Amino acid sequence: MSLEESLREIRLAKIARLRELGCDPYAIEKFDMSHTVTETVEGFEKLTDIPLRVAGRLHSMRVMGKAAFADLHDGTNKIQLYFRKDDVGETLWEVVGLLDIGDHLGVEGKTMVTRTGEHSIHVAALWPLSKPLHSLPLGKAKDGEHYNAIADTELRYRHRHLDLIANPEARKMLVDRMLVTRAVRHYLDQNGYLEVETPLLQVVAGGAAARPFLTHYNAYEMDVKLRISLELYLKRLICGDLPRVYEIGRVFRNEGISNRHSPEFTMLEFYEAYTDLEGMMARVEGLFRSVAQEVFGTSVVSVPMRDERDEETGAFVELDFGKPWRRVGMLDEISRLSGIPVDNLHDYESAKAGMAKVGLPTENEHSLGGILEKLLEHFVEPTLIQPTFVVGYPIETSPLAKKVPGDPSMTRRFEGYVLGREVCNAFSEINDPVDQRERFEQQVAEREKGDAEAHPMDEEFLFALECGMPPTGGCGIGIDRLAMTLTGARHIREVLLFPMMRPERDRGFGVSPSRNEGELRRDEGACEEGE
RNA sequence: GAGUCGGUAGCUCAGUCGGUAGAGCAACGCCCUUUUAAGGCGUGGGUCCUGGGUUCGAGUCCCAGCCGACUCACCA
């Protein structure tokens, strides 16, 4: 018998005994608690001499003959329990002996302070509320240090529930991320925006430069794609005279995984009619300030400094979202930091020459836009620690943004940067249907030249524009990236509850390797049939 | 996609030159009525990621594969 099997047998035997004692750990449906663990800890001084009913999960047991101590956790806080045979009686004392680390438990008792000063509950009665069939790798903790808790990154991601139970830091980061989403909603709701939902399954997946996931809809015998952005449907709503709309939703891009990229991620896009870049900048400033205030209680957020060369210095930087963001022109800032004269940044040949002169490779550069984005990335981005807007982006990479009057090579677009990372992308939306059609045609030409990520033509969207769209500002923010920035996460998986992982093969399901591969082949066959 | 590193008990990790597989925690038994990474005595627990190869002998060396981590490249 393997260890896991024997442990399971032992746990099942304990459950059987608990049932004999009238303490079935799965029988109780509702436990009336007078206080949560957190309320008990925080209000401890005022709760003396009244019976408390508290529930949580046991994280450690210290049994000492005819007395025992245990730590009861609620995920955020813990309270120590004190059991004494003389106080609970023969039967419940046997129940105490049948408890395991990981059990859910409800207790009733009064407050007690131990000899060493620890706030505790002196248990008078207890009710098992669940018993795991596995030994949970919760480890032990002292002075904030954790020992032996589940730490392997792969196990943490694959069995996230164990990570949430065992690792308070991981738990806090994930919870903060959810609170960020909630705070974003609050801000937009309070500013007159309507939250909407648009299709995930699309025939034409547009609005961004990315490769979509393909799937098949049987009823219409039709290939469809998972959306890569929210943009075009939201602007169709603006055309429908819904003047302020936003959506927070999952988008899917069939690309690689890295510490900043997940194949599915959560996108926020919001569109506001009758406003321009200035209006959008004010919105972004307001949104970040409001989110920081709501989640962290301050507009100045302290996060670990991002420095790839020296990750463990422990240096922190204070990001101030209370002030208006710094604003720089893209060309001006590239020129200032690279030394290439601004005049040389307006045409492809001069820019390429300038790029070569500052020592960057130019073989793969085929457009002015590409060169400018490379120069931006190399010279400017690392300097943009405090919140900054970079204004004015080249037209080639901005097919949905209005042209700058008098400079057809540039668009009315800005990106926000924090900690050297892009955190938002916004522009004044094209509402001239003829201009938009030309931009799409340009993209289709790129696509035919082999750029799989260039935009497809979207006639339905163009029809909406031809029916009239008011001047509109739009903005997109990657919620996962936003959460990473605010929580100091180093990997996007740290702010995703269940990140994409390759399936484990031949393990854990009692399926033989040959059978497993046979199933794999059948699945692939079904896919081909679908496409 | 490329490079580097890793996979040993349920968890965290050692394992030297190729020579019987180790520790702590967790589990089980006994002692212990204010402990707190409780403590003491004892017991059980291994597909050393998988498959080949070299060898008298492989956790260790070689080859292939699987999974992961990190860095780089594309993208948000």
Side-chain angles (χ1 to χ4, degrees):
Chain A
M1 191 189 291
S2 74
L3 176 62
E4 271 298 296
E5 286 162 354
S6 63
L7 182 68
R8 194 183 187 87
E9 293 303 316
I10 291 163
R11 291 288 168 101
L12 291 171
K14 285 184 182 177
I15 290 163
R17 181 59 185 151
L18 285 170
R19 284 179 173 143
E20 286 169 12
L21 295 170
C23 291
D24 187 329
Y26 306 118
I28 292 177
E29 292 181 66
K30 183 181 183 191
F31 184 79
D32 274 316
M33 56 178 99
S34 63
H35 302 77
T36 64
V37 171
T38 296
E39 286 164 357
T40 309
V41 170
E42 289 173 355
F44 192 85
E45 309 287 358
K46 294 176 193 153
L47 297 174
T48 51
D49 291 327
I50 58 168
L52 302 169
R53 288 170 63 89
V54 181
R57 193 192 283 268
L58 288 182
H59 274 231
S60 88
M61 283 279 285
R62 298 173 292 282
V63 181
M64 314 170 48
K66 298 182 181 62
F69 292 87
D71 293 331
L72 192 71
H73 284 235
D74 70 353
T76 307
N77 282 296
K78 68 166 183 182
I79 183 84
Q80 178 170 264
L81 306 179
Y82 176 56
F83 305 91
R84 235 171 63 122
K85 185 178 181 183
D86 292 349
D87 299 325
V88 298
E90 285 285 344
T91 304
L92 285 181
W93 182 246
E94 185 178 348
V95 171
V96 170
L98 293 167
L99 294 176
D100 286 298
I101 290 168
D103 287 10
H104 284 105
L105 185 71
V107 299
E108 184 174 301
K110 292 184 179 173
T111 60
M112 174 188 108
V113 179
T114 65
R115 225 171 253 166
T116 50
E118 175 143 358
H119 291 181
S120 312
I121 296 176
H122 193 148
V123 175
L126 57 141
W127 296 267
L129 300 175
S130 93
K131 181 177 275 299
L133 299 179
H134 301 274
S135 158
L136 301 192
L138 306 188
K140 299 193 172 187
K142 185 188 185 183
D143 303 331
E145 292 289 309
H146 292 261
Y147 307 84
N148 303 320
I150 186 170
D152 183 271
T153 321
E154 181 175 357
L155 293 178
R156 288 181 48 230
Y157 295 156
R158 288 193 192 279
H159 310 300
R160 186 64 101 178
H161 59 288
L162 294 177
D163 192 30
L164 288 167
I165 298 167
N167 296 314
E169 328 75 44
R171 178 195 184 94
K172 182 170 192 319
M173 205 170 259
L174 288 163
V175 170
D176 280 349
R177 179 254 153 83
M178 303 306 152
L179 296 179
V180 164
T181 313
R182 183 204 273 175
V184 166
R185 269 201 180 92
H186 286 169
Y187 174 77
L188 292 168
D189 291 344
Q190 284 161 10
N191 282 278
Y193 279 79
L194 180 69
E195 182 173 11
V196 300
E197 294 176 89
T198 64
L200 275 85
L201 294 175
Q202 304 182 347
V203 176
V204 178
R211 302 226 301 258
F213 284 88
L214 307 175
T215 185
H216 185 80
Y217 181 41
N218 292 336
Y220 285 4
E221 289 189 12
M222 163 176 91
D223 289 340
V224 290
K225 303 175 177 77
L226 299 184
R227 66 183 176 188
I228 57 172
S229 90
L230 315 174
E231 174 139 3
L232 302 183
Y233 276 99
L234 292 181
K235 281 197 280 200
R236 281 163 68 176
L237 297 178
I238 298 284
C239 294
D241 288 339
L242 291 173
R244 293 185 184 189
V245 292
Y246 77 96
E247 181 168 5
I248 294 174
R250 209 68 63 83
V251 301
F252 307 84
R253 298 190 182 176
N254 208 336
E255 291 160 358
I257 289 180
S258 80
N259 65 340
R260 293 181 298 282
H261 297 86
S262 168
E264 52 177 306
F265 61 100
T266 301
M267 187 76 154
L268 160 69
E269 290 189 28
F270 55 98
Y271 292 84
E272 180 169 336
Y274 310 110
T275 192
D276 62 358
L277 289 193
E278 285 299 324
M280 281 299 140
M281 288 184 199
R283 282 277 173 251
V284 172
E285 288 170 346
L287 186 143
F288 273 75
R289 188 186 315 123
S290 170
V291 168
Q293 194 71 44
E294 182 171 331
V295 179
F296 302 102
T298 168
S299 57
V300 181
V301 180
S302 182
V303 300
M305 189 63 194
R306 199 168 66 96
D307 186 339
E308 287 85 351
R309 300 200 185 284
D310 192 10
E311 278 196 348
E312 301 306 323
T313 53
F316 279 71
V317 59
E318 296 204 327
L319 300 173
D320 190 348
F321 295 109
K323 300 186 297 201
W325 295 24
R326 190 177 148 230
R327 299 171 191 208
V328 299
M330 185 191 217
L331 299 188
D332 299 339
E333 198 67 359
I334 288 175
S335 173
R336 188 172 76 81
L337 293 168
S338 70
I340 303 171
V342 171
D343 290 346
N344 293 1
L345 294 173
H346 287 285
D347 68 277
Y348 173 66
E349 291 302 333
S350 321
K352 190 170 178 178
M355 191 175 181
K357 204 170 171 185
V358 295
L360 292 177
T362 58
E363 312 84 73
N364 297 325
E365 301 307 334
H366 306 297
S367 74
L368 177 63
I371 290 172
L372 292 177
E373 299 217 339
K374 278 278 163 52
L375 291 170
L376 180 76
E377 187 181 318
H378 187 266
F379 288 104
V380 182
E381 285 187 9
T383 71
L384 304 178
I385 302 304
Q386 289 296 326
T388 305
F389 293 124
V390 176
V391 186
Y393 276 69
I395 194 163
E396 294 96 328
T397 52
S398 313
L400 299 160
K402 269 188 178 172
K403 290 171 189 161
V404 173
D407 183 357
S409 71
M410 299 296 281
T411 60
R412 294 279 289 155
R413 171 181 169 193
F414 70 84
E415 292 194 349
Y417 284 85
V418 176
L419 268 186
R421 270 201 294 248
E422 180 196 330
V423 294
C424 78
N425 176 21
F427 37 90
S428 194
E429 307 293 339
I430 296 178
N431 64 342
D432 173 350
V434 174
D435 184 11
Q436 184 66 73
R437 182 174 292 278
E438 286 168 6
R439 304 285 195 95
F440 273 147
E441 281 165 355
Q442 184 59 41
Q443 288 288 312
V444 169
E446 293 293 326
R447 203 179 179 82
E448 281 163 2
K449 276 193 268 175
D451 181 356
E453 296 185 352
H455 280 66
M457 183 64 70
D458 188 331
E459 287 293 346
E460 190 56 42
F461 171 64
L462 285 171
F463 176 62
L465 276 195
E466 287 175 2
C467 295
M469 185 173 88
T472 297
C475 180
I477 293 178
I479 293 288
D480 316 277
R481 294 260 180 103
L482 172 62
M484 285 176 73
T485 301
L486 294 178
T487 63
R490 285 218 178 82
H491 202 297
I492 193 168
R493 283 172 166 168
E494 296 292 350
V495 295
L496 298 174
L497 284 170
F498 298 103
M500 180 76 179
M501 303 285 278
R502 272 202 179 81
E504 283 182 294
R505 296 178 63 192
D506 314 340
R507 278 189 60 188
F509 303 103
V511 178
S512 73
S514 59
R515 163 126 180 260
N516 219 350
E517 283 178 14
E519 286 179 350
L520 219 64
R521 272 195 295 278
R522 277 200 295 283
D523 285 353
E524 284 163 10
C527 259
E528 281 163 21
E529 209 175 286
E531 287 175 5

